[in-house]
Amino acid sequence: MVATRIAFSGTHSTGKTTLIRRVEMELRAAGLTVARTPASFAQKAAELGFPKLHKQTAECTEWIIAASAAAVAEATLKADVVLIDRSALDPVAYWLAAQENPDPAIGDRLWRLVHAHAATYDFLYATVLDPTVPLGDCRDRDPEYRAAVDQSIHNLLISLNLRHKKITHADFNGDAVQVIVQRAIAKAAA
């Protein structure tokens, strides 16, 4: 059996983790085994000494993508569904938002890395920043940087031609969770 991989992208404090927890509970209630990758790879990168957020480097970005990809691969060994809290796009979007003039050669290398990992996702969901929603407890409270990350994610989705579904803040109170769950159940059953 091949695990269904569901990835989530979005700038910080847009509700990704809350959404993932709700999806996870519903999938477990439906009888599926679920693994969830942590969103903490950027924190681990910082603990190792990599600069992040406004100072994020290409090396840090590559490390986060590789660490996440390894965690996803490991999770597929024991789960029907793997929920990926932060897709491979996210670290690249943070890197882009930190750059005034990104080096095109580095960008090209990172795009290829993202595209390779994103090709393994069965579903990709991208939260949309709503600046009217109060910011939760997060480490970076810079609204311009947060907006730049959000814009970079959505630009990457389009430029890399990645099939995805946008999730707005209003969708959280709608049927977004049920749609995600039903698609996952159908894919896992196939």
Side-chain angles (χ1 to χ4, degrees):
M1 173 189 70
V2 176
T4 301
R5 298 175 189 208
I6 305 173
F8 296 84
S9 281
T11 192
H12 48 288
S13 297
T14 56
K16 285 178 311 306
T17 303
T18 301
L19 177 65
I20 292 168
R21 283 186 191 129
R22 290 174 60 193
V23 168
E24 180 179 14
M25 287 185 344
E26 294 290 332
L27 290 171
R28 288 184 191 281
L32 295 171
T33 57
V34 181
R36 179 165 43 110
T37 64
S40 60
F41 290 110
Q43 181 62 37
K44 177 69 175 164
E47 290 168 7
L48 291 171
F50 287 109
K52 65 176 204 167
L53 294 171
H54 299 273
K55 298 176 182 173
Q56 187 165 314
T57 63
E59 292 76 19
C60 176
T61 303
E62 291 169 352
W63 185 90
I64 294 169
I65 293 169
S68 177
V72 170
E74 184 177 335
T76 64
L77 296 173
K78 59 185 180 213
D80 298 314
V81 179
V82 177
L83 302 176
I84 303 159
D85 192 341
R86 294 209 169 275
S87 80
L89 280 90
D90 290 33
V92 175
Y94 278 87
W95 174 77
L96 280 169
Q99 307 300 306
E100 283 192 34
N101 296 304
D103 181 331
I106 294 172
D108 184 56
R109 185 175 79 236
L110 294 174
W111 299 181
R112 285 181 285 157
L113 195 55
V114 167
H115 208 273
H117 290 292
T120 69
Y121 305 152
D122 294 293
F123 303 105
L124 176 57
Y125 296 96
T127 58
V128 177
L129 175 64
D130 181 346
T132 66
V133 174
L135 186 60
D137 183 30
C138 66
R139 289 176 185 84
D140 185 87
R141 303 187 72 74
D142 179 347
E144 282 118 27
Y145 182 67
R146 201 166 156 240
V149 172
D150 181 70
Q151 186 65 50
S152 292
I153 287 170
H154 293 283
N155 287 345
L156 281 167
L157 287 163
I158 292 166
S159 67
L160 295 173
N161 197 28
L162 296 174
R163 198 178 55 174
H164 67 284
K165 168 96 174 94
K166 289 183 181 180
I167 305 287
T168 67
H169 189 71
D171 294 330
F172 282 51
N173 297 323
D175 62 350
V177 171
Q178 287 309 311
V179 169
I180 295 168
V181 168
Q182 291 307 314
R183 290 177 81 193
I185 290 170
K187 177 70 177 163

